[in-house]
Structures are given as structure tokens and as C-alpha cells.
Amino acid sequence: MRPVNASLSLFRRRLLDWYRRHRRDLPWRLPKIGHESTAATQSAQAASQARVDPYHVLVSELMLQQTQVATVIPYFKRFIERFPTAADLAAADEQEVLRLWQGLGYYSRARNLQRAAKHVVEKCGGQMPSTVEGLLELPGVGRYTAGAVASIAFERRAPILDGNVMRVLCRLDRVEADPRQPATQEVLWARAEEMLPMASVGDFNSALMELGALICTPRAPQCLLCPVREQCEAFAAGVQERIPPPRKAKATPLFKRHILCVRQGDRWLIEQRPATGRWAGMWQFVTVDPEKDGSPVGLGKRRAIGTVTHGLTHRRYEFDVFVCEGGKVVTDGTGRRWLTLAELDEYPLPRPHVKVAGMLREMAS
Ligand code: SF4
């Protein structure tokens, strides 16, 4: 029998005790009740039976996909300050939403979040769904996010399985198969469900994630500080560093592009990207694929000012950057605009173009 099964209630208690003492205070969580919080905070929370706002949990979960907590915190604060409710987000201009997301990357998350907010307003009377099934109806919400919102905000007995939880469960049960394989994932989902307590489900799920983030880390897990090491099979066998097996390295293709910063006086030419695909709807300096597009004429004399690289999960980009001056550029009917560098701040730009704008600012200073 697996050790965790042998004493599941002890396991839950140890994990929850540890979480309540050591968890990080994050802006999408309630303040910690304990020696760090004030008596006023505790009595206010107890009086209101406080729960986190499910919309805030949804925003944080979408921001945290593929992104570190430390990076997300300032974005989350700015986003919630500007769009405190789903109704505020639903009514917003998409360009402003993208602008607030600028730098977090994976912009389809921002678009999905706004579509989810519209769904909440139009189909759910402005109230976030409280069940996994209802949450799964929201654009961009999958099994993990639905489980996180349902358990953390509504105390539903819904399991979660993200990268951190996967790693923790694999080590606890000494699952040596690759957790990225669908068959292994199904085993882990079932395990995550089996472990759930009857109460404090949100804290329990958060605790599993927090253990993975702080103690049971991908490399060099801190087993001696781990509250559940007595129940960990990988630790008992001394194989925790081998679990999960490393991802097989795949060569990521490199795409080469030219960014042409076309100038007239103190203004620069920008264009909007198509409404679908990568960085959809965002703005950029004129960007061409030199193999496909050749050298566009009429943009003026080119001068190379540097190279910007950008890595995504499955591809890498290398942008050679040029300033073009003295050309005759017609913008009428093209969707292109002339902007000063200060005006550029109002537009959502993909990260490589934010870097290019920084290069131009440095040149001008
Ligand atoms: Fe992870 Fe080590 Fe704790 Fe096992 S004992 S759960 S490997 S930190």
C-alpha cells in the first residue's frame, strides 16, 4: 500500500498546518490568519466568512499560466485596480486589456479572460459560476482552472493538477512515468481527487501547489523541510531528484525577421497585427520576413541599429532592427499610424517591439 494511503488524514493535516504557517501572502489570496495578521483582520474575516473573489482567482490563474508568481503580482494588481469586477472587464476596450497585459505574453489568455467576463455578464447574471461544469463553459477555462476556482473560491471538492501538483504527486507515490503523458495524467487526476479532504478544500489544493512551488521544487527539493516527507515514497527511496523524468529536449526552430522603424521627424510608423494568430490585434513597427517579403520599397534609407531575440515555447525569433528615414510613406487606408515614442505607450505592443521602442528612446536621449 502506498504510504500516503496508509495515513491520508495525517497527510492532510500536516500539509494544511504547514500551508497555514508558511504560505506566501499573495494579492489574490486572503491575508494569512495567524501570528502575522492583526486581530482586526482575523475578526473581520471570521465575521464575513470571507472567501476570495472568484473573479480574482480566475484572473490570477490565467495570468499564472506559463508565468512566474513574482512577474504576475504587479500585473494582477494593476489589472484588478482597473477592472475590479467581471462587469468592468466585459465592458472594457480590448486594446486597453491588451495594453495592461503587455509583457506577460500569451495574449490569447487576455482575450479569453475578457470573453469569459462577457459570458459571466451575459449568461450568468454577472455572477461567476460556482461549479466545475459551469466554469468549464467559460472561454479559456480548462479542467485545472475550473478546479482551482471552484475549490479556492467556492470550497467545491474539485481536484486540481498543474505542473507543481503533478510533480508533488509523482514523488509522493513514486510514479516514475512521464506525467506529461495522458495516461499518467489520468492516474494523477484520480489521485488528486482521492486525496481531497471534506473541508478546507481550497486551502488543501493551494497547499499542494505551494508545496510544489516552495519545497518540492523541480531541482533540489528541500525534503528535510518538507511536512510530508515521512509519507513520501520517492524520498524513502532517495529517487526524488529523478522524478519526474526530464523533458526530452526538442530543437526549437529559429525565425528571422526584420523590424523596420520608419521615421518622419519625431514620429514613427506602426501597424496593427491581424485579428487572429500570434500577438493578434496588437501594434508593431513594420515587420517583414526578408525571405518572403524581400525589402519593401519607399520606406527610405536603412540603418541597422541592433538585434532583438525572443523565445517562445515552441519557436525562437531573431529580429534585425533598422531605422528607415527619408522615404515616402502613404498611410491612408492602410491601418498604419504615425506616433511619437510617448504616444506609443498607449498602444499594446508585443515584447520584442517594446524592446525596440526602448532602443529608439535610448538613441533619442
Ligand atoms: Fe517532495 Fe521531498 Fe517532500 Fe517528497 S519529501 S514531497 S520529494 S519535498
Side-chain angles (χ1 to χ4, degrees):
M1 187 188 288
R2 290 179 294 199
V4 175
N5 273 342
S7 51
L8 200 45
S9 60
L10 180 62
F11 170 82
R12 293 175 182 135
R13 206 166 49 242
R14 284 180 170 162
L15 185 63
L16 280 166
D17 280 352
W18 171 83
Y19 177 68
R20 287 171 181 152
R21 280 167 199 270
H22 296 287
R23 73 179 177 86
R24 295 163 291 179
D25 268 327
L26 300 174
W28 48 88
R29 289 179 176 165
L30 294 175
K32 219 171 357 187
I33 296 184
H35 59 276
E36 299 87 345
S37 65
T38 63
T41 314
Q42 290 181 38
S43 62
Q45 277 187 27
S48 65
Q49 295 260 310
R51 286 251 168 279
V52 272
D53 182 325
Y55 162 72
H56 291 192
V57 179
L58 179 66
V59 173
S60 68
E61 289 299 340
L62 287 185
M63 284 188 169
L64 286 164
Q65 287 171 11
Q66 323 262 2
T67 312
Q68 303 278 334
V69 166
T71 308
V72 165
I73 289 173
Y75 279 91
F76 176 84
K77 287 183 175 167
R78 277 197 299 271
F79 200 87
I80 292 298
E81 196 173 282
R82 174 62 190 85
F83 309 122
T85 67
D88 295 313
L89 178 58
D93 183 272
E94 187 193 76
Q95 290 284 301
E96 191 183 1
V97 177
L98 292 174
R99 179 73 188 84
L100 278 172
W101 204 273
Q102 181 177 294
L104 272 181
Y106 302 99
Y107 293 88
S108 57
R109 294 179 297 171
R111 266 187 221 93
N112 280 336
L113 188 54
Q114 191 177 30
R115 286 169 56 215
K118 287 182 178 165
H119 180 104
V120 168
V121 169
E122 289 161 15
K123 306 249 168 67
C124 311
Q127 299 295 314
M128 286 278 293
S130 67
T131 61
V132 169
E133 297 72 34
L135 287 158
L136 284 171
E137 302 272 308
L138 302 179
V141 171
R143 194 172 174 186
Y144 161 74
T145 307
V149 177
S151 62
I152 295 170
F154 297 107
E155 279 298 325
R156 299 271 178 187
R157 283 193 81 237
I160 54 161
L161 192 68
D162 69 347
N164 280 329
V165 177
M166 247 183 246
R167 183 171 61 256
V168 171
L169 296 187
C170 282
R171 286 174 175 169
L172 284 169
D173 286 350
R174 196 178 165 183
V175 173
E176 300 195 32
D178 187 344
R180 300 159 204 104
Q181 295 298 323
T184 318
Q185 292 211 349
E186 279 317 308
V187 171
L188 296 175
W189 272 106
R191 189 68 170 133
E193 182 155 16
E194 180 188 33
M195 280 185 169
L196 287 176
M198 296 306 290
S200 302
V201 183
D203 273 0
F204 181 82
N205 278 343
S206 301
L208 276 177
M209 289 192 275
E210 197 78 335
L211 189 73
L214 300 182
I215 302 283
C216 196
T217 44
R219 264 174 246 116
Q222 300 181 65
C223 301
L224 294 180
L225 299 178
C226 178
V228 293
R229 70 177 176 279
E230 281 175 27
Q231 290 144 304
C232 177
E233 286 196 53
F235 177 66
V239 295
Q240 64 272 23
E241 302 255 8
R242 295 209 314 252
I243 297 176
R247 194 185 287 273
K248 290 191 188 79
K250 262 201 245 150
T252 46
L254 176 67
F255 293 83
K256 293 191 174 215
R257 300 284 183 267
H258 287 176
I259 292 181
L260 308 173
C261 304
V262 184
R263 177 179 200 168
Q264 274 187 1
D266 65 348
R267 293 187 307 153
W268 301 86
L269 187 63
I270 63 163
E271 60 188 12
Q272 191 169 23
R273 290 185 60 85
T276 54
R278 194 176 308 287
W279 298 310
M282 299 180 82
W283 293 79
Q284 63 181 18
F285 296 101
V286 176
T287 303
V288 297
D289 175 345
E291 282 191 8
K292 232 168 62 191
D293 307 324
S295 282
V297 288
L299 299 182
K301 196 161 173 243
R302 286 185 188 200
R303 173 166 55 94
I305 60 165
T307 301
V308 168
T309 55
H310 186 67
L312 295 162
T313 322
H314 301 297
R315 52 170 62 187
R316 290 170 298 138
Y317 282 100
E318 188 176 279
F319 298 97
D320 288 329
V321 187
F322 301 87
V323 167
C324 304
E325 289 174 290
K328 292 214 181 332
V329 183
V330 179
T331 53
D332 286 354
T334 61
R336 289 177 168 180
R337 295 183 188 176
W338 290 105
L339 299 177
T340 63
L341 291 178
E343 287 165 341
L344 209 52
D345 282 341
E346 304 301 317
Y347 287 71
L349 307 180
R351 190 188 284 270
H353 291 264
V354 173
K355 288 188 193 162
V356 172
M359 291 160 73
L360 299 179
R361 282 195 185 96
E362 251 176 50
M363 272 172 36
S365 62

